[in-house]
Amino acid sequence: MEKPAMADEARFVEHAFDGDVHILRIANAPVNTLRTEVRAGLLDGLQAALREGAKAIVLIGSGRNFSAGAEMTEFGKPRKPPSLNEVFDAIENSRVPVVAAIHGNALGGGLELALACHARVAAPGAQVGLPEVKRGFVPGAGGTQRLPRLIGLEALRLIVSGDPVSAEEAVKLGFIDAVVEGDLEKGAVAWARANAGKSFTLARNRTDRIAGYDAAKFDEAAKKLTARSRGQESPKGCVEAVRAAFTMPFDDGLNVEREQFQRLVAGEQSQALRHIFFGEREAQRVPGLPADAKSLPVNRLVVIGGGTMGGGIAMSAANNGLPVTIVETSEEALERGLKRCEANWQRTVASGRLSQAEYEKRRALLTGTTNFDKAVGEADLVIEAVFENMEVKKEVFGRLDKAARPGIVLASNTSTLSIDEIASATKRPELVIGMHFFSPANVMRLLENVRGAATSPAAIATATEVGKRIGKLPVLVGNCDGFVGNRMTGKRGPQVEKLLLEGCLPQDIDRVMEGYGMAMGPLATGDLAGLDIGAAVRKARGTVAPVADAVVAAGRLGQKTSKGYYDYDENRRRMPSKEVEQIILDVAEKMQVRRRRIEDQEILERLLLPMVNEGARILEEGIASRPVDIDVIFVNGFGWPAFRGGPMFWADRMGLRTVRDRLAHYAEVTGDRNLQPAALIERLAAEGGSFAGLKSPAKPA
């Protein structure tokens, strides 16, 4: 039976009862964050239930989730009472058991709320976790203290990684008491009633799983978990907070957790991570797209080309339940493509990250054919993923236009080529769009959707919706050479060449970029991709790169030949190359470049500032809708460390007046006119403005 509303907070927490078991439902759609009114409503509802003689209390979320945790928009603002810890104290001090009933997600503060309850039950498949580390801080409401007391050292893995686990796994670990089949609320009420007389030991009072603390074992686990953090501070903060759970009384551990939380949440890394978190949401809102723009129905995807990219795109579709057909020109090529997909899946099965049953389900969704016309004629969406050559792509799109049903969207997985020119090969330019996936396409999240001059709202909505459906993060960009990511990264290449000529070695450049947080520096990345690929692009464009061209001319093509900018052993470990050093010295001498010592800060600025400058031009032209779209593209597609926030965020932190002055300085000393500050940077610097404060681009994307 529903209770009448007693206060304004009742709008955010509904109070009902089933006999002597009272129910508190968090009602803050869509994800039930624990905003001020929710906290107050929980406290009021708890007190009312106790006054009215409840024998047990069930706490549940309305809608599709239990709770996604704290309301991050309240961070940095004066906190209004009650705090989460006040609510948790009231729950723990309740004279009757409070049972959390979890469905959907219980993340961050949502899981911390559940951990403060006397017991926890969950619906099958519910996801629970503490992802705060991914936002640049530690769990701040007791999660680092309660979870270790429930499950021991395994808590370190969950908290430092931030990765969620299923309810079934949480039962095995020991922090969910039962998985409830059927109607969760009814099942939770029955479970609470059956266990109302039981004596529960609160998480805060448990000591059995933290007894016998082994410092060496803890440190070894922590070292492994933080090995890939590459300068991010929050994993280390999580380690220290969890360590306190094993070495201190509960309240002292809470103080350590609070100190780590307050230190980290005020820092630049957390601000950067939250910038990306909210930016990924914002990127899904396409400016100027009519409200009635609807995705066309897509029940079968066809991918033209079964190479590395085409196979990865097809895997992404099958991984997410969308039937997909690969079209190839020969049975041999088709067999190679399908075998490559199978091998990728089987490696995941062998690692334990994919069950054999799930593999078979995905494999059944993937088919292949050499019958172009038949497959395309049955498609609801076609994605072309053939060789990156305009004439080849136009030929393919001419065939697609004839074979595809009227009204079907035709997409190109081009990384640089003009969507307008590709669309000119069809009689349906309004239904042609770029869908630029990133390699490996079955792993990378980013999807640059490229709007041509004629691309319709329906085509944009379809590419956006399908991108989300197959697990990608779609960002809409405009049509130009290289779009956003490749166009900006292309401005870094000339500076890499200049730095090598002027005094750097490959390991100097890569050390600085990896120290900044990149997984790999630009030269090591080139070796991985293959230096012959870049050489082919330069040849096609009629450009030269003296050092890179000389390295390729020496037969050093990268990891595939065990020598590129680096030498590689049988395990592909890279080592500085004396041969490359001599190549660089010879080219510099031939070009009469006097070499000098170059400081790390100059290396960093000369690699990042050209990208920022090009990003400003991209905004001026309306190729990107918002500065944060650029940051989201670089974090999700180009290995930019999320805790640095992306190139435009980095520039804002430097200050645009400093950015302007440093660009002007490097333009003068290097003679590179491309480094002259973009007009947008000049304007914002003069106004004391920032990219973050930029309200709209000069023109729509």
Side-chain angles (χ1 to χ4, degrees):
M1 180 182 295
E2 302 293 330
K3 295 284 293 181
M6 295 179 295
D8 185 56
E9 288 80 7
R11 292 187 297 111
F12 294 94
V13 177
E14 301 165 351
H15 186 182
F17 61 89
D18 184 329
D20 54 3
V21 177
H22 285 234
I23 302 157
L24 301 181
R25 297 190 202 103
I26 303 171
N28 183 25
V31 292
N32 293 329
T33 56
L34 301 175
R35 60 186 288 179
T36 301
E37 293 84 354
V38 170
R39 300 193 301 273
L42 287 172
L43 199 56
D44 288 350
L46 180 68
Q47 292 167 347
L50 293 174
R51 282 197 308 270
E52 295 171 19
K55 292 291 191 284
I57 300 168
V58 168
L59 176 57
I60 194 169
S62 60
R64 293 180 294 176
N65 292 286
F66 179 75
S67 173
E71 178 58 68
M72 285 201 291
T73 59
E74 293 182 350
F75 285 12
K77 300 176 183 177
R79 283 296 183 97
K80 298 177 182 178
S83 68
L84 276 178
N85 284 320
E86 288 177 75
V87 176
F88 294 176
D89 285 345
I91 290 172
E92 289 178 323
N93 291 328
S94 168
R95 63 180 178 270
V96 304
V98 181
V99 178
I102 299 168
H103 70 296
N105 296 318
L107 301 174
L111 178 57
E112 289 179 301
L113 171 61
L115 293 175
C117 293
H118 298 75
R120 291 149 292 281
V121 299
Q127 295 286 302
V128 292
L130 296 170
E132 285 89 345
V133 66
K134 298 179 181 181
R135 310 289 174 255
F137 47 90
V138 305
T144 66
Q145 305 306 300
R146 291 184 177 90
L147 190 59
R149 284 170 164 80
L150 289 170
I151 66 173
L153 191 57
E154 275 294 305
L156 184 66
R157 174 178 63 86
L158 298 186
I159 293 169
V160 173
S161 72
D163 294 334
V165 297
S166 68
E168 290 80 1
E169 179 66 17
V171 170
K172 294 177 184 176
L173 289 169
F175 66 102
I176 286 183
D177 296 272
V179 170
V180 174
E181 301 285 347
D183 185 290
L184 177 63
E185 185 172 300
K186 291 181 179 177
V189 167
W191 194 95
R193 181 174 287 118
N195 290 275
K198 179 181 175 182
S199 177
F200 290 94
T201 302
L202 293 167
R204 65 178 295 154
N205 296 329
R206 290 273 297 272
T207 59
D208 53 312
R209 300 304 297 271
I210 58 172
Y213 168 67
D214 184 330
K217 186 176 180 181
F218 184 95
D219 289 343
E220 181 183 0
K223 184 178 180 180
K224 288 180 181 178
L225 288 165
T226 58
R228 296 175 63 87
S229 58
R230 297 198 301 270
Q232 187 175 339
E233 296 173 4
S234 54
K236 298 172 186 175
C238 287
V239 168
E240 294 313 308
V242 173
R243 188 193 306 276
F246 287 89
T247 59
M248 296 181 178
F250 182 81
D251 288 336
D252 292 342
L254 275 185
N255 289 334
V256 172
E257 176 189 88
R258 191 171 298 116
E259 289 165 4
Q260 292 289 346
F261 175 84
Q262 291 172 345
R263 175 181 68 84
L264 290 166
V265 82
E268 185 174 309
Q269 290 193 4
S270 179
Q271 293 173 33
L273 286 159
R274 283 179 275 149
H275 167 76
I276 293 299
F277 175 76
F278 288 114
E280 289 176 358
R281 293 183 179 180
E282 185 67 17
Q284 307 308 295
R285 303 183 181 98
V286 179
L289 194 66
D292 60 353
K294 296 256 190 323
S295 170
L296 301 173
V298 175
N299 296 311
R300 174 160 293 277
L301 173 66
V302 166
V303 177
I304 308 298
T308 302
M309 286 302 297
I313 294 167
M315 286 181 69
S316 295
N319 287 347
N320 290 276
L322 179 60
V324 57
T325 299
I326 291 176
V327 177
E328 261 295 357
T329 54
S330 69
E331 290 292 345
E332 294 79 11
L334 180 61
E335 184 71 11
R336 280 197 304 273
L338 293 174
K339 290 293 185 186
R340 187 184 296 111
C341 295
E342 290 171 355
N344 285 336
W345 274 321
Q346 289 290 5
R347 279 194 293 272
T348 313
V349 171
S351 72
R353 291 178 288 128
L354 183 70
S355 69
Q356 183 66 24
E358 180 61 24
Y359 159 67
E360 291 170 3
K361 177 181 173 184
R362 296 178 184 188
R363 181 62 185 86
L365 292 169
L366 173 63
T367 56
T369 184
T370 57
N371 191 329
F372 184 101
D373 290 344
K374 183 175 187 299
V376 171
E378 295 172 350
D380 299 315
L381 169 68
V382 181
I383 300 176
E384 162 274 311
V386 302
F387 185 63
E388 187 77 347
N389 175 279
M390 180 58 78
E391 294 310 311
V392 173
K393 289 187 184 287
K394 288 175 74 173
E395 180 185 355
V396 169
F397 268 77
R399 291 184 65 192
L400 289 175
D401 192 41
K402 293 174 183 175
R405 303 194 314 273
I408 297 302
V409 172
L410 308 178
S412 174
N413 175 51
T414 177
S415 57
T416 59
L417 301 178
S418 170
I419 294 302
D420 292 334
E421 188 172 349
I422 291 171
S424 72
T426 76
K427 295 178 181 177
R428 60 178 92 189
E430 74 284 356
L431 290 173
V432 176
I433 190 168
M435 292 181 73
H436 175 208
F437 292 81
F438 287 73
S439 185
N442 55 304
V443 174
M444 298 294 285
R445 266 185 93 205
L446 180 64
L447 172 60
E448 270 186 326
N449 284 334
V450 187
R451 171 163 52 188
T455 306
S456 67
I460 294 169
T462 301
T464 301
E465 184 58 34
V466 170
K468 292 178 185 176
R469 184 174 168 188
I470 64 174
K472 303 306 176 187
L473 177 65
V475 182
L476 185 69
V477 301
N479 184 34
C480 66
D481 184 19
F483 316 131
V484 171
N486 284 331
R487 175 174 162 180
M488 288 173 62
T489 305
K491 299 303 179 184
R492 184 181 67 186
Q495 289 303 311
V496 170
E497 279 281 318
K498 287 177 179 292
L499 286 166
L500 289 172
L501 286 170
E502 293 171 19
C504 290
L505 294 174
Q507 55 267 31
D508 299 322
I509 293 172
D510 285 347
R511 172 179 49 78
V512 169
M513 296 306 289
E514 289 164 14
Y516 181 74
M518 303 290 188
M520 296 177 74
L523 298 162
T525 301
D527 277 358
L528 179 64
L531 300 184
D532 51 330
I533 295 174
V537 171
R538 290 192 297 274
K539 183 177 180 180
R541 296 190 174 202
T543 60
V544 297
V547 173
D549 291 342
V551 170
V552 171
R556 304 183 65 96
L557 305 184
Q559 287 190 18
K560 66 176 102 179
T561 58
S562 296
K563 55 183 184 177
Y565 283 107
Y566 298 93
D567 294 331
Y568 293 88
D569 64 15
E570 63 276 6
N571 297 312
R572 294 194 172 182
R573 286 179 298 204
R574 73 186 194 225
M575 298 165 285
S577 169
K578 286 292 185 183
E579 182 183 2
V580 169
E581 181 176 351
Q582 191 59 52
I583 289 171
I584 292 169
L585 293 174
D586 290 345
V587 174
E589 182 179 6
K590 182 179 179 180
M591 296 182 67
Q592 298 183 327
V593 177
R594 185 175 180 181
R595 289 172 65 81
R596 62 184 173 85
R597 175 179 172 79
I598 302 177
E599 299 295 333
D600 288 1
Q601 186 62 27
E602 180 180 344
I603 294 171
L604 184 69
E605 290 179 356
R606 286 179 62 180
L607 294 180
L608 301 191
L609 286 173
M611 291 194 285
V612 170
N613 208 31
E614 197 65 17
R617 295 186 181 112
I618 282 169
L619 289 167
E620 289 170 357
E621 298 167 20
I623 298 299
S625 296
R626 295 157 292 228
V628 74
D629 288 2
I630 295 174
D631 289 336
V632 166
I633 284 170
F634 271 86
V635 166
N636 288 281
F638 290 86
W640 196 287
F643 67 87
R644 299 291 189 187
M648 313 316 276
F649 180 92
W650 175 78
D652 273 350
R653 288 302 177 272
M654 179 183 282
L656 293 192
R657 287 176 179 166
T658 301
V659 168
R660 174 197 62 194
D661 295 345
R662 298 307 291 161
L663 279 167
H665 166 72
Y666 290 126
E668 181 179 355
V669 300
T670 66
D672 187 346
R673 295 186 61 184
N674 187 61
L675 293 181
Q676 289 291 344
L680 179 60
I681 290 177
E682 292 277 17
R683 174 170 69 81
L684 291 174
E687 296 170 353
S690 66
F691 289 124
L694 193 63
K695 298 302 180 186
S696 62
K699 63 180 83 168

